[in-house]
Amino acid sequence: MTRKIVKSKYHFEPDLIETIGEVSIEEIKPWGSNDELKIIGKPTSRIDGAVKVSGEAVYTSDVILPNMVYAKILRSPHPNAQIKNIDTSEAEQLEGVLYILTYKNAPEIGWYYNTSYLFDKQVRYQGDEVACVAAESEKIAEDALHLIKVEYENLPFVTDAVEALKDNSPKVHEWGNLPRGNPDKYKRGDVEKGLKEADLVIEDTFTTQVVVHNTTEPHCSVAKWEGSKLTVWDSTQAIFNVRDSIAASLQIPASSVRVIKKYMGGGFGSKLEAGKYSVIAALISRKIKRPVKIVLDRREENLAVGNRPNSIQTLKAGVKKDGTLTALSHHSIGSIGAYPDGAGCSWPLRTIYKCENVSTEEYSVFTNTGKSRAYRAPGHVQGTFGLESLIDIAAEKIGMDPLEFRLKNYTDKDQVYNIPYTSKKLKDAYEKGANAIGWHRRNKVPGSSNGILKRGIGMATQIWWGGGGPPAYATLKLNRDGSVNVMAGTQDLGTGTYTFIAQVASEVLQLPIEKISITIGDTETCPYCGASGGSTTAASVAPAVRDAAEQMKAKLISGAAAILETSEEKLIYAEGIISVKNDPSKKITIHEIISKMRERVLVTTGARSANPEGYMINTFGAQFAEVEVDTFTGKVRVIKIVAAHDIGRVLNPKTLENQFHGGIIQGLGYALMEERKVDSNTGKVLTANLYSYLIPTIMDTPEIEVIIVSEGDSMISSVGAKGVGEPAIIPTAAAIAHAVYNAIGVRIKSLPITPDKVLNALTLIKR
Ligand code: MOS
């Protein structure tokens, strides 16, 4: 099949990436409704489910190699300090210690955009890397850390983003506390003019906390050399990113590095880039000529591998009495920790509602705390809480139903680029979601229900990208016996990638799913696919798999035509057998074709098609929450969440529901309990464990109802699937917060909504 390289665009999180990608020229007709399909859209159990529950599946943290040693990282106890000296002599004496890496013997490797080295003499947050010990056991390595003597000169520090913006604040980096020296700004129309046209101007401030990814499987890496060839098992969302970063850091060819990741216990954005631990493992392993394993512990997970930045958002809206939004503005400050990242959160305000006059100004500020990283819909979770709270307030002020207010400001065009969406079924999501929760049951007057336990209902809207795009490839091998191997350099973060790839191949080739074996997460044996992030995996990879399978079908048909001495048009393919249309006695099996070709394996490689020009690809949704607030204890219990979304085609309802459950429960934690706390006097994290950093358990989990209002989006690809990983979490916290308001009649504008905040709020009303 002919290929060419064409221009395409896609969104990876907020970044609009213009790329060129190789695509097949032959157009594949997009699938119609799921009713016409046999396996796609049908509840399909994870093909990797059994090996996972039996414990046979080898996660990176399970990898054990012959002769392997363990390494542990010494981290700074101080928020800002200069290292005057490191004395490792005593640690080196400990029996079983093999090697110690510090700034003294580490190569000067630039890291994170050259703002620090692998081991810098300045440490900028509690948790910054200071040294690493490799030893015969994890215990010995840990013991040795205590024997390393580090002389620190403590420096003034700042942990609060607002403080860090002041002129007299300590500077995290020499050049100041704003990575680029300026805030990020966006503007369209004229906000002042819009506010003048309004009947009412509403302004309010909303704040959100820092939360930590706390993936089930910690960040980890195992490095092994064989001559000049390095193999790294890494718990990562992006095997090719890790391969290239390690190769660049070690200044060796990328072809000499193989990165493998088979199974994974979550990433949520914290595993998109190579970690320092991976490079450290590779360096030490090269030195001591033994495989090295580094697994971070729960404390390190809470200190040093990323977080969702906090936000202080001041929003303004101009509203007419009929509900028209005449202006929206957004000002935000967020802490990105000690190294460059972004804390912007204005995208929902820029794009969800129809509004001509919009301005945003966002400060992503350095502080002496752990670096923030992309975290499941970065910016959107914070931003949606701010925007949707303001919208709820605006609706109430003009006496309009909050859902009607949202419909009044509905748009069929992307507001930033002024182009239409490939599809948007948010109206259906509003309608079906409202019916499912019983929207009419909410308190007409917030807080008006009687008794100690007060119930309320709220809702919020979601927008995200998640359309995926090229480049993404899949290689398909068909064996003589009709079994199939599919290889793709993508990742399964626990999300169901293995299963949807098998489903797509099974659907096209009409072969049982049990005959299809999937290899992913290996840079050496798999063709390139991008990072598993931005909710792009299924949207990018599924069409590449379909392309490979369709090509295989075409190849088989042409082979059958040659053997049966007929033309391809006269042949039909069904379940691995090709027959002549009006002479079904003339038929040939896959086995016979491949045998006659004297091959044992037929190979095709499929590619993701380009995205259409002039259209915006987004996901949309609305979540509705019902809560019960105990006005005696202040505790909020979420009774039910209805998630109604437009996410393109559903590939597998089972894993789709899993994704929504995960996102909603994580969103519930964000709404009600999770919070990284830093003591501003000492610069130390008070919650670096899972007993003071609370995450939801099954006891906190509400009834969850998932409603998908979309079918395949035929404009985006032959499969028409979009992502669900991030849409699932985006509106949850806002919906819960609005339900709390509806229950108690006082609005809590700061997350998490903990019992103390609820009780304080209730005291305010009683006065
Ligand atoms: Mo990302 S926050 O892993 O999509």
Side-chain angles (χ1 to χ4, degrees):
M1 239 176 224
T2 339
R3 294 292 189 76
K4 66 176 176 182
I5 293 185
V6 297
K7 276 190 179 174
S8 180
K9 292 178 189 162
Y10 71 99
H11 260 104
F12 190 88
E13 308 200 318
D15 303 321
L16 179 62
I17 296 170
E18 301 202 29
T19 172
I20 56 173
E22 187 184 337
V23 296
S24 297
I25 300 174
E26 269 81 357
E27 288 277 323
I28 298 173
K29 193 171 162 277
W31 279 325
S33 127
N34 273 357
D35 301 342
E36 299 159 20
L37 302 171
K38 288 204 170 110
I39 291 148
I40 295 295
K42 307 295 171 291
T44 307
S45 293
R46 285 170 193 265
I47 62 168
D48 51 337
V51 292
K52 279 183 168 176
V53 295
S54 67
E56 287 167 273
V58 176
Y59 290 67
T60 306
S61 56
D62 296 325
V63 170
I64 293 176
L65 302 174
N67 216 20
M68 188 179 82
V69 305
Y70 298 82
K72 278 278 167 195
I73 295 169
L74 181 68
R75 295 180 180 276
S76 168
H78 305 297
N80 197 15
Q82 273 288 330
I83 298 175
K84 291 290 158 196
N85 192 30
I86 299 185
D87 178 1
T88 56
S89 52
E90 206 178 315
E92 280 158 26
Q93 299 304 311
L94 189 68
E95 198 182 325
V97 169
L98 298 161
Y99 194 76
I100 302 178
L101 197 64
T102 68
Y103 71 87
K104 290 183 178 175
N105 57 351
E108 284 220 339
I109 292 171
W111 199 256
Y112 290 139
Y113 317 98
N114 281 330
T115 55
S116 78
Y117 294 101
L118 202 52
F119 293 105
D120 201 338
K121 283 191 78 176
Q122 178 160 5
V123 285
R124 295 182 178 84
Y125 72 97
Q126 179 205 14
D128 223 344
E129 288 84 354
V130 172
C132 183
V133 177
E136 294 288 351
S137 75
E138 207 167 6
K139 175 82 173 64
I140 298 172
E142 226 164 68
D143 287 349
L145 294 185
H146 297 286
L147 301 175
I148 298 176
K149 295 196 181 66
V150 188
E151 239 176 87
Y152 294 101
E153 181 190 324
N154 279 300
L155 301 168
F157 61 87
V158 60
T159 59
D160 179 82
V162 175
E163 285 301 315
L165 274 180
K166 294 179 181 163
D167 285 342
N168 58 356
S169 162
K171 299 283 174 275
V172 180
H173 294 277
E174 308 71 51
W175 71 88
N177 288 341
L178 279 180
R180 282 177 301 277
N182 287 304
D184 294 321
K185 288 186 183 178
Y186 166 81
K187 179 174 173 307
R188 68 170 180 259
D190 181 343
V191 166
E192 287 313 312
K193 182 175 141 270
L195 290 175
K196 279 199 197 102
E197 288 166 7
D199 294 319
L200 201 69
V201 173
I202 296 144
E203 182 174 349
D204 223 317
T205 298
F206 307 93
T207 64
T208 64
Q209 75 281 32
V210 172
V211 289
V212 180
H213 303 73
N214 264 318
T215 54
T216 312
E217 181 191 34
H219 291 64
C220 52
S221 196
V222 181
K224 174 183 179 274
W225 290 82
E226 205 174 73
S228 59
K229 180 85 194 253
L230 170 66
T231 304
V232 178
W233 288 260
D234 207 77
S235 181
T236 178
Q237 295 174 239
I239 51 171
F240 284 98
N241 283 4
V242 171
R243 182 192 68 158
D244 291 358
S245 298
I246 291 177
S249 299
L250 269 56
Q251 295 175 339
I252 57 175
S255 57
S256 300
V257 183
R258 177 181 188 181
V259 175
I260 300 172
K261 196 291 298 285
K262 273 196 100 168
Y263 304 104
M264 182 164 162
F268 311 124
S270 70
K271 296 175 180 171
L272 283 167
E273 320 149 27
K276 282 189 181 178
Y277 54 88
S278 304
V279 175
I280 292 171
L283 277 171
I284 297 182
S285 173
R286 184 163 66 180
K287 260 285 177 296
I288 64 175
K289 301 196 183 316
R290 291 173 70 177
V292 173
K293 179 174 192 172
I294 297 186
V295 181
L296 270 53
D297 63 21
R298 191 51 62 185
R299 186 173 162 76
E300 292 174 292
E301 288 295 314
N302 277 270
L303 291 177
V305 292
N307 53 66
R308 186 191 297 285
N310 69 330
S311 71
I312 298 140
Q313 306 172 51
T314 300
L315 278 68
K316 213 187 262 188
V319 190
K320 285 193 173 168
K321 282 194 189 115
D322 68 354
T324 309
L325 281 169
T326 59
L328 283 168
S329 81
H330 184 277
H331 175 283
S332 70
I333 298 173
S335 161
I336 54 170
Y339 297 102
D341 199 45
C345 57
S346 68
W347 268 102
L349 176 133
R350 294 188 215 176
T351 58
I352 294 183
Y353 300 109
K354 192 171 171 178
C355 186
E356 280 171 18
N357 308 302
V358 174
S359 74
T360 72
E361 186 169 325
E362 305 177 279
Y363 294 79
S364 300
V365 188
F366 284 131
T367 60
N368 293 108
T369 62
K371 178 187 178 296
S372 66
R373 270 187 177 179
Y375 183 165
R376 206 169 192 167
H380 271 57
V381 177
Q382 309 88 296
T384 298
F385 173 68
L387 171 69
E388 289 292 84
S389 295
L390 191 80
I391 293 292
D392 246 38
I393 293 171
E396 184 171 31
K397 285 253 161 86
I398 61 161
M400 201 182 236
D401 177 307
L403 193 49
E404 200 187 317
F405 187 92
R406 286 166 170 91
L407 284 166
K408 171 85 194 170
N409 294 288
Y410 197 86
T411 171
D412 281 313
K413 263 190 160 186
D414 173 80
Q415 293 292 289
V416 172
Y417 298 98
N418 199 29
I419 49 177
Y421 300 112
T422 55
S423 65
K424 176 172 179 177
K425 298 200 157 69
L426 180 58
K427 268 187 189 151
D428 295 353
Y430 281 149
E431 195 188 309
K432 291 195 171 141
N435 280 338
I437 198 81
W439 183 242
H440 62 278
R441 296 187 296 118
R442 76 193 194 289
N443 301 308
K444 295 294 165 299
V445 178
S448 57
S449 70
N450 290 322
I452 288 175
L453 300 176
K454 288 174 178 282
R455 287 211 177 184
I457 292 174
M459 61 81 59
T461 307
Q462 164 262 318
I463 192 169
W464 183 251
W465 299 283
Y473 304 99
T475 302
L476 193 143
K477 295 185 187 173
L478 178 64
N479 303 300
R480 268 192 196 184
D481 63 355
S483 67
V484 172
N485 293 88
V486 184
M487 278 125 298
T490 183
Q491 301 77 200
D492 193 328
L493 317 183
T495 45
T497 309
Y498 278 103
T499 309
F500 82 68
I501 292 177
Q503 283 181 282
V504 172
S506 167
E507 180 74 45
V508 176
L509 293 170
Q510 303 172 34
L511 296 170
I513 203 159
E514 297 74 31
K515 284 196 171 182
I516 296 167
S517 168
I518 309 299
T519 302
I520 58 173
D522 185 342
T523 57
E524 195 122 313
T525 56
C526 303
Y528 180 80
C529 291
S532 287
S535 304
T536 59
T537 305
S540 300
V541 177
V545 177
R546 183 170 174 206
D547 185 30
E550 296 285 0
Q551 287 182 51
M552 185 60 76
K553 205 154 96 178
K555 192 182 278 211
L556 289 168
I557 290 175
S558 71
I563 296 162
L564 296 174
E565 295 177 334
T566 179
S567 67
E568 293 176 27
E569 301 77 56
K570 293 202 175 117
L571 296 173
I572 43 168
Y573 179 102
E575 294 174 17
I577 298 164
I578 295 168
S579 52
V580 177
K581 260 176 217 162
N582 28 29
D583 186 3
S585 65
K586 269 186 140 181
K587 60 182 176 188
I588 187 163
T589 64
I590 287 176
H591 174 82
E592 289 164 330
I593 298 166
I594 304 181
S595 303
K596 282 254 164 43
M597 290 171 74
R598 302 191 65 79
E599 292 188 29
R600 293 201 167 263
V601 187
L602 297 187
V603 183
T604 55
T605 298
R608 168 63 153 86
S609 51
N611 284 325
E613 278 292 319
Y615 289 89
M616 206 53 195
I617 308 172
N618 282 102
T619 53
F620 306 90
Q623 290 184 10
F624 296 76
E626 179 167 12
V627 304
E628 185 173 85
V629 183
D630 184 328
T631 55
F632 193 72
T633 64
K635 192 161 164 45
V636 175
R637 186 163 75 93
V638 181
I639 308 284
K640 183 171 182 176
I641 302 274
V642 173
H645 292 254
D646 164 6
I647 46 81
R649 181 185 309 281
V650 177
L651 298 178
N652 183 356
K654 271 195 175 181
T655 47
L656 174 114
E657 280 209 5
N658 289 170
Q659 281 273 62
F660 271 99
H661 287 197
I664 286 164
I665 294 166
Q666 208 164 34
L668 183 151
Y670 187 63
L672 301 180
M673 60 193 85
E674 296 188 37
E675 180 167 20
R676 184 202 68 182
K677 288 191 173 153
V678 179
D679 175 21
S680 59
N681 291 315
T682 59
K684 299 201 182 189
V685 176
L686 302 171
T687 51
N689 52 62
L690 284 178
Y691 55 84
S692 49
Y693 184 96
L694 298 180
I695 59 170
T697 70
I698 194 69
M699 298 300 287
D700 303 295
T701 302
E703 181 193 343
I704 296 171
E705 184 178 342
V706 181
I707 300 167
I708 300 302
V709 299
S710 49
E711 288 202 328
D713 183 337
S714 59
M715 284 191 77
I716 68 170
S717 74
S718 67
V719 169
K722 302 179 191 174
V724 296
E726 287 160 310
I729 195 178
I730 293 172
T732 313
I736 291 172
H738 303 162
V740 170
Y741 173 68
N742 189 248
I744 65 174
V746 50
R747 195 174 287 276
I748 296 172
K749 298 170 186 171
S750 143
L751 295 184
I753 302 173
T754 45
D756 56 316
K757 287 182 192 166
V758 172
L759 291 179
N760 274 335
L762 289 168
T763 320
L764 289 177
I765 327 184
K766 279 181 203 141
R767 283 212 193 106

